[in-house]
Amino acid sequence: MVGTRGRKGRGKAGEDEEMVGKIAEYEESRAQRMKENMERMKSLGIADLSKQLKRPSSSSVRKTKPSAPPSTHPPRRSSRLKDMPQVIYSEKKIPKQTSARKNVIIHIPEGENPEIYTEEDEKLLGDSEAVWELCVDGYDEDGQRIYDPHEGKSCHQCRQKTLGLRTNCYKCTGEAVTWQFCGDCLYTRYGENINEVNLRSDWICPVCRGICNCSRCRRDKGWEPTGSIYRKAKNLGYKSVAHYLIYTQHGQAKTEAGAAAGSLAIDDNKEGLSDALTQSGAEKNQKAEDNLKMDSDEEYRGDDYEEEEEEEEDESQ
């Protein structure tokens, strides 16, 4: 029993040694072939070529799915939906409807004296050929006014000592008191372009013309300041604050004068008819006054041209 196991163990060990010998022989022949191949590649000058080649990275190689051939059959359609109109899934842009502007209302408190203008005042109104761009001259890159107590010049309207252009009046320049206006105030309050008026040697400022509407000049005449009403006046179709004041107040004065003259003439001839027409004229005058009554502006902060924010809020809503 023992002898049989010994013979089996020796037989297995012999097989292992034979297998190892065969592997060694194969490895030796493989190494010999590799050596011969390398010598052949060197003789052809391509031994170093394989070192220069790099395998492409797996991320750069994209696996593309083969595209299916186009179908020759007509698309499938439901028999239930064949007679229904085709559905269009693209969004249709609805044009934005601009909301109607609210009625523009301007209210200027009554002063001690009546504010009356004549046709001569209308002739004194200025004009401009080019549009003046606001908030540019005398402003920095952030849109802030540049105040300079030394190099800046004070504007008669807004009373701000800032950098920027100033007007030159034919009458008051060189006098003890010179009335100068900045470009923004001259355009918004009087409708004139400072670049154009400075080219004229005979130009006269609004103060010397007697149509200045700054708070100081209006109080000297017994009128209340207007406040910042440029944007409202422009929405009503007027070129500037001065155009609004003179045209509206002059028109109202002519209406009142005409109604009073008509009332007196009729009263001399027919007393009964005079009462009726006088009442009708009074109603018309009252209606004209109601149309000129305006909602109160914000508390007066100066005669600057600051745009009102309520319009932007309306448009955003």
Side-chain angles (χ1 to χ4, degrees):
M1 188 75 175
V2 176
T4 304
R5 289 180 178 177
R7 286 195 299 271
K8 288 182 179 181
R10 286 193 297 271
K12 187 175 181 180
E15 291 176 0
D16 293 340
E17 292 177 358
E18 185 178 357
M19 182 64 66
V20 171
K22 290 181 178 180
I23 292 175
E25 184 180 354
Y26 169 76
E27 291 293 338
E28 185 178 355
S29 62
R30 180 173 177 272
Q32 182 65 28
R33 288 196 304 272
M34 291 175 63
K35 183 178 179 181
E36 293 174 356
N37 292 336
M38 182 60 67
E39 292 177 354
R40 189 177 296 110
M41 291 173 64
K42 288 181 179 180
S43 63
L44 296 175
I46 59 175
D48 299 331
L49 184 62
S50 60
K51 297 180 181 180
Q52 300 176 1
L53 299 177
K54 296 181 179 180
R55 294 184 59 186
S57 59
S58 58
S59 59
S60 62
V61 179
R62 296 183 178 180
K63 297 181 180 180
T64 57
K65 296 183 179 179
S67 59
S71 176
T72 57
H73 300 286
R76 297 179 61 184
R77 294 287 185 269
S78 172
S79 59
R80 181 174 57 86
L81 302 176
K82 64 179 181 179
D83 297 331
M84 297 183 66
Q86 185 179 3
V87 180
I88 300 176
Y89 293 97
S90 61
E91 295 183 359
K92 184 178 180 180
K93 294 184 178 180
I94 301 175
K96 184 178 179 181
Q97 297 180 353
T98 56
S99 58
R101 285 188 177 273
K102 296 187 300 183
N103 293 332
V104 179
I105 299 176
I106 299 177
H107 173 71
I108 301 175
E110 293 185 3
E112 298 177 358
N113 300 326
E115 186 172 354
I116 299 174
Y117 298 95
T118 64
E119 293 182 0
E120 296 299 325
D121 294 319
E122 291 186 8
K123 296 178 182 179
L124 295 175
L125 288 172
D127 198 359
S128 62
E129 297 180 359
V131 177
W132 172 260
E133 189 174 357
L134 301 176
C135 302
V136 175
D137 181 54
Y139 287 76
D140 58 17
E141 296 178 354
D142 298 328
Q144 302 296 326
R145 301 193 76 172
I146 304 175
Y147 295 89
D148 193 324
H150 303 290
E151 299 296 332
K153 296 180 180 180
S154 179
C155 170
H156 174 74
Q157 187 80 35
C158 62
R159 298 188 289 278
Q160 303 298 318
K161 201 168 188 179
T162 59
L163 299 181
L165 296 174
R166 293 294 184 272
T167 57
N168 297 315
C169 177
Y170 168 73
K171 294 187 67 174
C172 63
T173 298
E175 300 293 334
V177 179
T178 302
W179 313 115
Q180 295 180 326
F181 292 80
C182 65
D184 290 359
C185 287
L186 185 68
Y187 188 78
T188 58
R189 307 292 295 195
Y190 306 97
E192 301 179 58
N193 191 316
I194 192 172
N195 290 326
E196 297 173 2
V197 302
N198 282 345
L199 295 176
R200 295 170 48 187
S201 59
D202 60 344
W203 182 79
I204 301 175
C205 69
V207 180
C208 296
R209 276 180 274 171
I211 60 172
C212 180
N213 54 52
C214 75
S215 61
R216 183 164 38 194
C217 290
R218 286 181 63 84
R219 286 196 178 101
D220 291 342
K221 297 177 181 179
W223 304 339
E224 289 296 319
T226 64
S228 302
I229 62 172
Y230 165 68
R231 183 63 58 180
K232 290 183 178 181
K234 183 179 179 182
N235 289 338
L236 289 174
Y238 295 95
K239 189 174 183 65
S240 69
V241 175
H243 289 74
Y244 165 77
L245 293 173
I246 293 178
Y247 283 135
T248 55
Q249 297 297 331
H250 183 209
Q252 184 184 10
K254 289 192 295 184
T255 302
E256 293 176 351
S263 175
L264 291 174
I266 295 172
D267 185 58
D268 292 339
N269 297 323
K270 297 180 181 179
E271 295 180 358
L273 184 59
S274 173
D275 295 338
L277 292 179
T278 303
Q279 184 178 2
S280 176
E283 292 177 354
K284 291 182 179 179
N285 294 339
Q286 184 62 37
K287 185 177 181 180
E289 291 178 1
D290 293 340
N291 291 335
L292 290 174
K293 285 183 179 179
M294 310 298 181
D295 287 342
S296 178
D297 295 327
E298 295 180 359
E299 184 177 356
Y300 181 73
R301 295 174 297 179
D303 291 312
D304 54 358
Y305 62 89
E306 291 180 357
E307 299 181 2
E308 298 170 3
E309 298 179 354
E310 61 182 28
E311 290 187 2
E312 298 180 358
E313 294 178 358
D314 293 341
E315 293 178 358
S316 63
Q317 292 175 359

